[in-house]
Amino acid sequence: MAAEQSKQKVIFDHDGGVDDLLSLMLLLTMQHVELLAVTITPADCYLSDATVSTQKILAMFGQDHIPIAQGRLHGINAFPAEWKAQPKICNAFPDMLTQKFNSDSLSAKAADELIAELLMQHDKVSLLMTGPCSNLVAAIEYLPAILPAIEQLIWMGGAVDVPGNVAMHNHNKSAEWNAYWDPIASAKLFTYGIEIKLISLDATNCLPVNLSFLSDLAAQKGNHVSHLAGQFWATTINSIPSYEFTYFMWDVLATSVLALPSSAIKFEDVELNVLISEPNAGQTYRCQGSGQWAKVATWVDKQQVLDYVLEQFKRDF
Ligand code: AGV
Ligand code: CA
């Protein structure tokens, strides 16, 4: 019990992409984390696929008592259908097909309701979000009293001093997709005074998935988790030939922030605001006086992140 109390409490909200699933695996390797729940945003995925993947990964790590809740909110700007379908293949790998899971762990509550409920019951909770922020924003709008329970929010989202990755007819590429999906929620997120660590494209751009890293991971494929992670990452190598050609370790970097030493990542305090109208919807920009201060990751020790991921995936569960 005493050991449990000293653990870092985390609620993880993801949106079912391949790197969201890898992030869940990485999170489950972290001995210092007590995972309170996993909630799913139906953004860069199909909700049913993402739910099964989540249930099976939790079961694989012997953690299938952890509650899961599905999001009921949909952003204004849908993800391309090809991207949403991409993680489907993860559920088709033999290790995933044969994995049993606990269907009781799927909560009858919606994601925003479960987040609100848990933040009423716990304090000093870290939120890790690797998709859009709509579930959290809805929870706060419904119950602002939960705000003091949030110790920090680590969010993979935004692009501050670098171009975004939204390439749509109504956009000028100034935004990152998680912030663009629901730009109104993204703008609200920076009004509550939450301690936000923003893992934006500024930091993730240095971590493309490449064969050198995958070779290092393959060298430890005798380990079950490394083997499955290698298969998941392999599906991103022929990154969907629409809009963009490189798959990055976006969410995996954000997840690593829970464990990386301060020497491995630099944050800059930036006053930020979010635009909500096209062609800039979801753009996270530096402002003066009208925004909220956030810690934006500006530099990461790339090798330290990769070494950490390799080390964690080497462990047996
Ligand atoms: O913008 C990065 C976010 C991350 O949370 N997602 C993918 C990651 O899960 C959207 C995204 C950007 N480019 C993509 C994305 C691509 N080429 N394929 C799939 N998703
Ligand atoms: Ca994601």
Side-chain angles (χ1 to χ4, degrees), residues 3-309:
E4 279 296 306
Q5 274 168 5
S6 61
K7 288 195 178 188
Q8 187 175 3
K9 289 186 262 190
V10 174
I11 297 174
F12 180 34
D13 188 294
H14 73 73
D15 72 336
V18 175
D19 69 333
D20 297 81
L21 303 179
L22 285 155
S23 298
L24 176 60
M25 289 164 64
L26 182 63
L27 186 60
L28 290 167
T29 68
M30 294 182 186
Q31 303 291 304
H32 72 287
V33 163
E34 180 191 354
L35 185 55
L36 299 180
V38 182
T39 55
I40 304 169
T41 299
D44 199 5
C45 66
Y46 287 103
L47 189 54
S48 52
D49 296 331
T51 304
V52 172
S53 305
T54 301
Q55 288 171 313
K56 292 193 168 183
I57 292 169
L58 286 172
M60 194 175 285
F61 283 80
Q63 300 291 325
D64 58 0
H65 58 280
I66 295 175
I68 301 171
Q70 296 178 317
R72 57 180 165 178
L73 306 162
H74 294 268
I76 306 170
N77 300 305
F79 273 90
E82 307 94 300
W83 289 5
K84 293 176 66 169
Q86 181 190 24
K88 226 180 215 320
I89 193 167
C90 293
N91 285 340
F93 287 125
D95 284 348
M96 289 291 275
L97 281 174
T98 54
Q99 179 65 53
K100 298 206 171 16
F101 64 93
N102 169 16
S103 46
D104 297 341
S105 63
L106 184 58
S107 171
K109 297 194 175 77
D112 54 307
E113 294 175 311
L114 185 64
I115 292 172
E117 180 181 285
L118 288 169
L119 290 174
M120 286 305 284
Q121 292 166 358
H122 295 269
D123 62 354
K124 298 198 176 129
V125 178
S126 292
L127 299 175
L128 170 65
M129 293 191 328
T130 58
C133 59
S134 317
N135 290 331
L136 174 61
V137 167
I140 295 170
E141 298 277 290
Y142 163 64
L143 254 188
I146 62 179
L147 280 169
I150 304 172
E151 186 167 76
Q152 63 170 344
L153 162 64
I154 299 168
W155 187 31
M156 192 286 123
V160 180
D161 297 324
V162 297
N165 59 11
V166 173
M168 300 296 275
H169 61 278
N170 64 344
H171 212 275
N172 59 13
K173 244 198 161 206
S174 58
E176 179 280 332
W177 259 100
N178 289 344
Y180 168 70
W181 191 71
D182 185 350
I184 295 177
S186 303
K188 284 184 180 164
L189 184 69
F190 290 89
T191 62
Y192 304 124
I194 302 172
E195 160 103 358
I196 300 176
K197 288 187 179 141
L198 197 69
I199 313 305
S200 54
L201 299 184
D202 303 69
T204 61
N205 279 346
C206 76
L207 283 163
V209 177
N210 61 38
L211 285 183
S212 146
F213 168 70
L214 292 191
S215 304
D216 292 344
L217 186 62
Q220 53 191 55
K221 70 177 179 177
N223 172 283
H224 180 226
V225 178
S226 291
H227 188 252
L228 190 63
Q231 287 177 320
F232 279 23
W233 262 309
T235 71
T236 70
I237 284 295
N238 62 342
S239 191
I240 321 297
S242 47
Y243 316 101
E244 201 175 40
F245 296 91
T246 308
Y247 203 91
F248 293 85
M249 297 171 77
W250 301 280
D251 300 349
V252 170
L253 175 61
T255 306
S256 308
V257 169
L258 283 165
L260 288 176
S262 53
S263 61
I265 183 156
K266 280 200 185 105
F267 291 98
E268 182 190 338
D269 286 316
V270 179
E271 189 177 2
L272 280 183
N273 215 333
V274 183
L275 293 170
I276 55 172
S277 310
E278 57 182 64
N280 297 78
Q283 182 184 346
T284 45
Y285 69 100
R286 290 174 184 261
C287 67
Q288 278 185 350
S290 62
Q292 186 196 301
W293 290 91
K295 296 194 176 304
V296 176
T298 51
W299 174 87
V300 288
D301 183 338
K302 180 181 163 172
Q303 199 52 48
Q304 218 172 318
V305 175
L306 298 178
D307 289 347
Y308 174 71
V309 172

